[in-house]
Amino acid sequence: MAYPSRICLTSRGSTIDALGGGQYKVCDQSQSCTVKEGLWAAYESLRELEQRRVR
């Protein structure tokens, strides 16, 4: 995959991008990012990130 494909953009500005090969980049609003293996792991990481922002 030449370019990442946006999977999710939340109202708080967090994103999940597909990188290919089962890897996903999860970023917060300030563009601090991590790479996760598998969509479920990426979603869980995003959910935890969003919950931390609420507190």
Side-chain angles (χ1 to χ4, degrees):
M1 182 180 290
Y3 298 99
S5 176
R6 179 70 32 101
I7 301 294
C8 177
L9 171 62
T10 70
S11 61
R12 293 189 177 107
S14 300
T15 60
I16 297 177
D17 293 321
L19 300 177
Q23 292 190 326
Y24 297 86
K25 182 170 71 169
V26 180
C27 300
D28 65 11
Q29 185 177 5
S30 64
Q31 296 304 307
S32 175
C33 303
T34 60
V35 175
K36 298 293 181 178
E37 187 72 31
L39 184 55
W40 185 256
Y43 169 74
E44 286 296 311
S45 178
L46 180 75
R47 187 179 59 79
E48 291 172 7
L49 182 69
E50 293 279 302
Q51 285 180 346
R52 277 186 286 181
R53 292 254 180 226
V54 171
R55 294 179 187 161

